[in-house]
Amino acid sequence: MALAHVLGVPRIGPNRELKQAQEAFWRGAIDEAALQAVASGIRQANWQRQHAAGLDWVTVGDFAFYDQMLNHVALLGCAPQRFGFGRKLDLSQYFQLARGNAACHAMEMTKWFDTNYHYLVPELKPDTPFALGAEWLFDEVAEAQTAGFKPKPVLIGPLSFLYLAKEKTPGFNRLDLLERLLPVYAQILARLKAMGVEWVQIDEPILALDLSAEWRSAFERVYHSLNAAGVKLLLASYFGPLRENLLVALKLPVAGIHVDCVRGADELAQVIDWLPATRVLSVGVIDGRNIWKTDLAAVLDRFEGLHARLGDRLWLAPSCSLLHVPVSLAHENRLDPELKNWLAGADEKIAALSTLKTAFNAGRPSVAAALADNAAALAARRHSSRVHDAAVAERLHALTATHDTRNSGFAVRQAAQRARFRLPAFPTTTIGSFPQTADIRSARARFKQGELSEADYTAAMQQAIRFAVERQDALGLDVLVHGEAERNDMVEYFGEQLAGFAFSQNGWVQSYGSRCVKPPIIYGDVSRPHAMTVAWTRYAQSLTGKPMKGMLTGPVTILQWSFVRDDQPRATTALQIALAIRDEVVDLETAGIGIIQIDEPAYREGLPLRQADWAHYLDWASRAFRISASGVADATQIHTHMCYSEFNDILPAIAAMDADVITIETSRSDMELLRGFGAFHYPNEIGPGVYDIHSPRVPPVSEMTRLLEKAARVIAPENLWVNPDCGLKTRGWPETEAALENMVAAARALRQRNGNGGGGQAVIAV
């Protein structure tokens, strides 16, 4: 008899209840008890849905108030020592780790593997203590048991925890902390067993990565140690195939192993060959990363023989946690019915899992109607006329080598741009967005609901743009932006205006903390029916004599932050988007906009997890960017922005993008991320972020100046720009103005220190 479970589910609530409660708590509108009540309600509802679907366990420990890695920092009692907190964090301290406080900047944040989810990076030193800290996991297990559910707690494994952390002491190997960490994991497992827990899911997603021999060899001793706790361990790997780590995983003394049969489909035969005779095999057969329905008949065809062989040792599951898909499509009443029938959120994927379990155990006739509906939806998608556009295919076929090359090399372009703009040394700018006030959000919502005329909506957005431009002028910024008042999201805004995209009403997915995004759905060939940003940018430029940046989202980021069609290579879809963005870039230049930013914050995120697969991705990703950017003259300056990723291992590919200026997030790492650009001798201009926009903290001028001085020691000062880490959409105006005032003051201090007050980005010494 096949069993079924999930590795995790969305924790935001069907209507983003957690986000609303978090933000209310942060601003003091509700107390902790009210926040905890919302959290408990979300957990109870999640468990009830799993139980009602006939899953054999409810997953506990996948809930987090901010992030699962931060939860483990609290659980393991290893909060960064610079905060001065004790071993057992309270909720206020937990949030301070994520958001910073008056004395300390927030913990560094980076992408969770190749997803758009961000995790908080543990900070480790040789003397980092580990001890059982927050009791939240045990409380949630007890909560599930009290409610009558059978819990399967989930932990991030000790090796993945250490691997995904960062050393904060030069020359220190964080793997040296393993012997200090393992006893705490053993204590956690013993506590769970004493509570009556039978199975613990222990996630080791780093098994999908290229691991050194040192890290691979650590697995055996770790799991021999943890196995002694006596609770059954389900070792879970996901996001890719195991490859050379396959035998390492299958030889471990655990009771079961979960493998990703969506991304690691080709190695299932090897897994079966090496699976020990008594080992449970959990197969991830439903895509936990994308929104398309699963071909249930294909899953049954593929796994029925294995079920006959393994019986109740075969567990059915999604490929990974369902954290990465929307909660449900139940209330999506505006989606085209045909398109909606092709899709599945977390609830629908759990229902599909239930159908598969029943089909395996009771035979296909027992779920014949569900299987027929599934087959009909898949056939409708395959044969739909709305998916393919012959004109798009012809344009792709006509691409030549010159489509991804600027007219001149960077040195020639740089000279033309400096002659055109005459900017001072350390020119100041922002990344693009300014605070989305309640008035802006209200006007946009009323316009979408038909309560505000187009003329009145345009006037409201122009008023917000005028305010943003006036504030930037008053602050003394050198290159301005229009503030993006009209944009709901940096990807959704463009997708709404491109052919081949569809949108949900409530398809929210957590990106980090209380930040949620609503990814577009790319279901067909992509093209640009009309200009998307030109009128807003032209209006903003009319308000000032300073350069106004055109703000666009790049093809790779639009691809990465969407639910992408799975019926053609991602590279093909990226090139389609690139041509659409290229048309917008050319139209902006024609409208007199001389600086155009094509943001690619997801460029590193799209990198395959295995280095052997990098070259192919980097080739088509950098080409897609260059195609989007190469239709303009030398004197038009192309910017790009990247954030919250490790860049050093792909710097040649970033240089190959050939943007005139790149801005990157560096403040949380104290400019650590910039060192690689210096060692690589990055050839073009660069703007390292000098303050963290995800924290309400306003850094003093001295702190920003120190960071700029540090940057100028590794990057030629004449090539340095000054900017925040990222856009300012989520901040309020008072803190935004205070921070930007300090940022401008820091730039001016460096100019004065070096005797350069403006006029052409003169070479200076720091």
Side-chain angles (χ1 to χ4, degrees):
M1 180 173 180
L3 307 182
H5 72 119
V6 292
L7 276 64
V9 296
R11 54 196 179 223
I12 57 176
N15 295 298
R16 293 182 295 162
E17 290 88 348
L18 183 62
K19 169 191 173 66
Q20 294 152 16
Q22 284 169 311
E23 293 176 354
F25 176 71
W26 292 340
R27 65 176 180 265
I30 63 172
D31 61 13
E32 183 175 332
L35 176 59
Q36 292 284 7
V38 170
S40 178
I42 291 171
R43 291 193 296 267
Q44 294 278 347
N46 286 344
W47 297 333
Q48 180 57 43
R49 282 194 290 272
Q50 294 169 56
H51 178 74
L55 303 193
D56 293 278
W57 296 271
V58 300
T59 301
V60 178
D62 55 339
F63 178 84
F65 277 109
Y66 204 96
D67 164 55
Q68 67 266 19
M69 282 290 281
L70 185 59
N71 272 23
H72 281 65
V73 167
L75 176 65
L76 300 169
C78 59
Q81 296 170 28
R82 58 190 173 86
F83 281 87
F85 298 152
R87 175 169 59 89
K88 289 186 179 289
L89 296 179
D90 61 31
L91 196 56
S92 173
Q93 292 169 329
Y94 171 91
F95 284 132
Q96 288 176 59
L97 298 182
R99 307 178 73 230
N101 58 31
C104 294
H105 61 82
M107 291 172 62
E108 185 177 346
M109 186 164 60
T110 196
K111 296 293 176 70
W112 180 248
F113 295 83
D114 58 346
T115 76
N116 186 31
Y117 179 78
H118 302 66
Y119 75 93
L120 276 297
V121 182
E123 301 174 11
L124 302 180
K125 295 182 177 181
D127 60 347
T128 295
F130 294 104
L132 192 57
E135 300 273 325
W136 304 330
L137 175 64
F138 309 113
D139 294 341
E140 291 171 20
V141 169
E143 180 184 9
Q145 291 172 326
T146 300
F149 300 116
K150 182 180 179 182
K152 171 178 60 71
V154 56
L155 292 168
I156 295 171
L159 286 167
S160 289
F161 180 81
L162 289 178
Y163 192 93
L164 298 171
K166 272 194 174 181
E167 296 131 351
K168 292 298 179 178
T169 302
F172 162 60
N173 182 355
R174 59 192 181 278
L175 196 53
D176 292 343
L177 295 173
L178 188 57
E179 300 309 319
R180 194 183 307 162
L181 178 61
L182 280 179
V184 185
Y185 268 87
Q187 187 180 0
I188 294 166
L189 294 175
R191 282 275 301 271
L192 292 172
K193 183 183 180 186
M195 296 179 73
V197 167
E198 179 185 7
W199 281 91
V200 173
Q201 174 187 319
I202 190 157
D203 290 0
E204 291 285 10
I206 63 168
L207 285 165
L209 304 179
D210 296 319
L211 297 177
S212 68
E214 181 183 31
W215 283 90
R216 278 204 305 272
S217 65
F219 272 89
E220 185 175 0
R221 75 175 188 271
V222 165
Y223 282 90
H224 273 289
S225 172
L226 297 185
N227 188 47
V231 68
K232 293 179 182 178
L233 298 180
L234 177 72
L235 180 76
S237 174
Y238 40 82
F239 296 155
L242 293 163
R243 294 185 184 171
E244 73 283 355
N245 300 326
L246 187 147
L247 291 183
V248 172
L250 288 170
K251 290 181 177 180
L252 295 177
V254 292
I257 184 167
H258 170 87
V259 293
D260 184 339
C261 292
V262 175
R263 289 192 164 193
D266 294 341
E267 66 182 21
L268 179 62
Q270 282 182 283
V271 170
I272 296 168
D273 285 345
W274 286 96
L275 187 73
T278 60
R279 187 77 47 85
V280 161
L281 178 62
S282 169
V283 287
V285 297
I286 290 175
D287 191 349
R289 295 278 300 270
N290 214 332
I291 201 170
W292 306 104
K293 279 186 173 176
T294 300
D295 187 337
L296 300 184
V299 173
L300 291 168
D301 290 344
R302 185 181 181 198
F303 290 95
E304 275 175 334
L306 185 59
H307 175 229
R309 175 177 164 183
L310 297 184
D312 61 5
R313 290 196 294 125
L314 180 67
W315 294 8
L316 306 171
S319 58
C320 61
S321 170
L322 297 174
L323 172 72
H324 309 287
V325 295
V327 174
S328 175
L329 300 179
H331 303 295
E332 296 294 340
N333 50 32
R334 294 182 191 170
L335 265 176
D336 179 275
E338 181 189 17
L339 177 59
K340 180 180 175 181
N341 197 35
W342 304 347
L343 309 177
D347 283 357
E348 291 76 24
K349 290 177 186 287
I350 290 172
L353 194 62
S354 177
T355 298
L356 287 171
K357 177 185 173 182
T358 302
F360 276 118
N361 295 331
R364 298 193 195 200
S366 64
V367 286
L371 293 177
D373 288 346
N374 177 257
L378 296 172
R381 182 183 171 205
R382 278 195 302 271
H383 301 300
S384 175
S385 60
R386 66 201 305 173
V387 172
H388 301 290
D389 184 336
V392 174
E394 287 177 18
R395 193 174 181 194
L396 279 184
H397 183 71
L399 283 174
T400 68
T402 60
H403 280 94
D404 69 341
T405 306
R406 295 288 295 272
N407 295 330
S408 305
F410 173 68
V412 173
R413 301 197 310 265
Q414 185 181 50
Q417 292 159 17
R418 288 186 172 178
R420 177 179 182 179
F421 299 116
R422 302 297 295 171
L423 297 172
F426 298 102
T428 55
T429 189
T430 64
I431 303 305
S433 61
F434 273 100
Q436 291 263 323
T437 64
D439 287 345
I440 289 173
R441 294 194 301 271
S442 173
R444 191 165 57 235
R446 290 168 58 212
F447 176 60
K448 284 194 170 186
Q449 293 162 7
E451 299 173 2
L452 196 65
S453 71
E454 184 171 356
D456 287 342
Y457 172 72
T458 298
M461 294 302 102
Q462 287 183 342
Q463 180 181 1
I465 291 169
R466 178 180 291 275
F467 180 81
V469 172
E470 289 173 349
R471 298 318 305 144
Q472 291 171 83
D473 259 329
L475 287 163
L477 289 160
D478 301 305
V479 174
L480 311 189
V481 297
H482 80 289
E484 304 179 15
E486 79 287 359
R487 302 186 190 181
N488 44 11
D489 174 81
M490 65 181 294
V491 172
E492 185 175 1
Y493 173 80
F494 291 96
E496 285 177 334
Q497 302 180 79
L498 294 170
F501 282 75
F503 291 85
S504 62
Q505 294 164 257
N506 205 37
W508 297 100
V509 177
Q510 185 181 26
S511 180
Y512 63 85
S514 68
R515 169 71 169 156
C516 299
V517 295
K518 190 150 57 72
I521 302 160
I522 306 178
Y523 68 86
D525 289 338
V526 178
S527 62
R528 187 196 72 144
H530 51 74
M532 302 179 286
T533 68
V534 175
W536 299 116
T537 312
R538 184 193 290 121
Y539 172 75
Q541 183 64 83
S542 73
L543 302 174
T544 179
K546 292 181 176 180
M548 176 65 59
K549 278 196 291 189
M551 298 301 307
L552 306 173
T553 303
V556 176
T557 296
I558 290 177
L559 183 85
Q560 283 297 125
W561 291 357
S562 298
F563 291 120
V564 183
R565 57 190 290 192
D566 55 1
D567 60 341
Q568 71 178 15
R570 292 172 70 86
T572 302
T573 305
L575 290 179
Q576 293 177 357
I577 301 169
L579 287 171
I581 299 300
R582 179 188 180 94
D583 293 343
E584 189 73 11
V585 169
V586 170
D587 281 356
L588 282 167
E589 182 187 53
T590 301
I593 304 303
I595 300 179
I596 301 168
Q597 184 169 308
I598 308 171
D599 287 340
E600 287 289 21
Y603 188 84
R604 176 63 171 81
E605 173 191 313
L607 194 68
L609 298 180
R610 299 297 190 134
Q611 195 162 357
D613 304 324
W614 286 7
H616 175 66
Y617 164 77
L618 291 171
D619 178 64
W620 64 253
S622 61
R623 182 169 182 248
F625 179 86
R626 292 193 305 273
I627 285 172
S628 72
S630 295
V632 295
D634 290 346
T636 297
Q637 189 173 73
I638 298 293
H639 290 223
T640 191
H641 172 67
M642 298 181 179
C643 59
Y644 299 105
S645 292
E646 300 288 351
F647 306 113
N648 294 350
D649 47 5
I650 59 165
L651 284 170
I654 291 177
M657 294 168 68
D658 200 26
D660 298 306
V661 182
I662 181 173
T663 53
I664 60 171
E665 174 273 324
T666 51
S667 71
R668 283 198 179 198
S669 67
D670 201 43
M671 290 289 168
E672 177 186 327
L673 291 175
L674 193 61
R675 277 185 277 173
F677 283 84
F680 175 70
H681 301 294
Y682 184 76
N684 301 6
E685 296 179 14
I686 187 165
V690 297
Y691 80 91
D692 174 24
I693 64 88
H694 293 94
S695 169
R697 175 176 174 267
V698 176
V701 175
S702 59
E703 182 176 314
M704 296 190 198
T705 303
R706 180 185 65 80
L707 289 176
L708 284 172
E709 290 171 337
K710 193 171 182 179
R713 289 195 285 270
V714 295
I715 299 293
E718 66 270 20
N719 284 347
L720 277 175
W721 286 63
V722 182
N723 45 261
D725 271 345
C726 201
L728 298 161
K729 173 181 177 179
T730 60
R731 300 267 59 90
W733 269 109
E735 66 199 70
T736 293
E737 292 195 67
L740 291 179
E741 183 177 14
N742 288 356
M743 187 186 83
V744 170
R748 287 174 175 165
L750 262 68
R751 294 172 196 160
Q752 292 168 0
R753 190 173 303 169
N754 292 274
N756 181 270
Q761 287 175 289
V763 177
I764 59 176
V766 174

